Amino acid sequence: MQPAEARYNKNSLLLALRRYSLAVSDMEQTILLPSLLRDLPSDELWDCDAAEETCRDLYDNYLMLKAIRNAAESGLIPLDDHKAKSNSALSKTLEPLLDADPEALFRFHLKGLFSVLGDLTKKSQSLTEKYMDIIGVAN
């Protein structure tokens, strides 16, 4: 019998999603007391919101990573995301892409999905490692 990852091509989107989902599941199983992450600032730039110029704490990152995983697995997009698509400023910046070859557009978005899923996987693993450091367990 083949392991689950062997069934997918190594560059499969399903495999990338599975890796992210497993990283978040591992994070959930490891982080037994998420409240320990409250008020602990993250040292990574991806946590900072440019508009508010505030950085999230590790607890907010934990909740965000879980929420993204749940949305990706359920396939449900919040209603607010549909409203964001109608933003005219965003539409104007995307106009050159919309006129592109459909295959090129598909490859562009697929590459972006791989990049985002890879980054989220690394962030989930990093948060798990930080929690282990906080509680004093060597990994």
Side-chain angles (χ1 to χ4, degrees):
M1 191 161 193
Q2 303 179 48
E5 290 189 6
R7 287 183 272 172
Y8 303 116
N9 180 356
K10 92 174 192 181
N11 294 324
S12 167
L13 183 59
L14 292 174
L15 181 58
L17 183 57
R18 180 172 169 76
R19 285 181 183 150
Y20 171 61
S21 181
L22 289 173
V24 173
S25 294
D26 182 50
M27 179 185 74
E28 285 179 310
Q29 292 173 359
T30 303
I31 300 176
L32 300 176
L33 296 170
S35 60
L36 289 177
L37 301 173
R38 285 194 187 275
D39 300 326
L40 291 174
S42 178
D43 55 351
E44 296 187 26
L45 294 175
W46 60 273
D47 299 323
C48 294
D49 186 6
E52 297 178 14
E53 294 186 13
T54 60
C55 291
R56 300 175 184 222
D57 63 8
L58 293 177
Y59 182 75
D60 288 336
N61 292 339
Y62 172 79
L63 294 177
M64 176 197 62
L65 290 165
K66 283 179 51 174
I68 292 171
R69 191 262 325 253
N70 292 339
E73 288 181 348
S74 70
L76 299 176
I77 299 173
L79 186 58
D80 294 340
D81 290 350
H82 292 292
K83 292 177 184 176
K85 287 184 179 181
S86 64
N87 185 346
S88 62
L90 180 61
S91 298
K92 289 178 184 176
T93 60
L94 294 176
E95 282 178 9
L97 287 176
L98 297 175
D99 295 333
D101 174 39
E103 184 177 353
L105 187 60
F106 174 76
R107 290 184 187 277
F108 171 79
H109 287 292
L110 188 61
K111 184 177 178 182
L113 281 171
F114 276 115
S115 175
V116 168
L117 286 172
D119 288 346
L120 290 172
T121 301
K122 289 175 188 173
K123 290 170 187 172
S124 298
Q125 293 166 340
S126 173
L127 186 60
T128 304
E129 290 171 8
K130 287 178 186 177
Y131 179 81
M132 299 291 276
D133 288 343
I134 290 168
I135 62 171
V137 176
N139 21 340

